[in-house]
Amino acid sequence: MTNLILGSGAVVLYLFGWATHILKLREGDKSKTIMLQGFAAIAILLHGLATFGLLFDNGGLDLSLLKILSLLALVINSLVCISAIHKPVHSLYLALFPISAITLICALASPSTKPVIFMPYSLQAHILISILAYSFLAIAALQALLAGYQNWQLKHKHQNALMRTLPALETMEKLLFELIWVGEILLTVSLLTGFYVYDDFFVQQLIHKVTFSIVAWLVYAVLIFGRHYYGWRGQRAINWTWVGFSGILLGYIGSKFVIEFVLT
């Protein structure tokens, strides 16, 4: 019941913050940014309390898909909220708030599809690093969407409320590659620690995740190489970003969905 109350409060604040952000864009009122950050911070706090209540059950850890999606939404929102203090990333809330509300509702409403497990600290550290890697790369994918939208609007000489709140396209792309660099480093550490903590990828049904994660790592590595040596930018960089993130989605979320909902 406590998780339901906390989660419901977070959902209400996410939706209210989303509506506030829409009004801010329509009115061009920058003073509402502080209010938006306040809604985000309180919603994230309630979201965190509810999610950890769902994850930690009887001293173990519930790693079912919908609980993990709620945790990923929590981490992504936290990273964006902190980054928004110094960087112009508030527009990401347009997508993050409704997605977070939906994932939290699903996590609260669904029973667990996996048994509660107990794990060593090394495995917990690996899972935490993996979640951070996926979170940074998810933020990069959303940032790529915004940059692509901005690029398209500029080419067609359109100007709307959202465009007026975004920084220059060069700044957007710089932020995109900063996120990709951090995500790629964390993904590298995640893969290395995964080979250390897991004994048999086939027995533990992890071969799909590892394969797609390696493919994603290679895609991001090529993108970083192309940016550094050939100055890749614009639509090419956006396309490569989403190809890499598709590997993450297929490897982690796709395989967990098949194992937990299709095969069972």
Side-chain angles (χ1 to χ4, degrees), residues 196-207:
Y196 172 76
V197 299
Y198 293 115
D199 298 323
D200 191 330
F201 291 117
F202 290 95
V203 172
Q204 293 167 290
Q205 297 180 315
L206 294 169
I207 191 63

Side-chain angles (χ1 to χ4, degrees), residues 179-200:
L179 293 167
I180 291 173
W181 260 109
V182 175
E184 179 77 338
I185 292 170
L186 288 170
L187 185 58
T188 304
V189 177
S190 172
L191 288 170
L192 293 176
T193 55
F195 285 110
Y196 172 76
V197 299
Y198 293 115
D199 298 323
D200 191 330

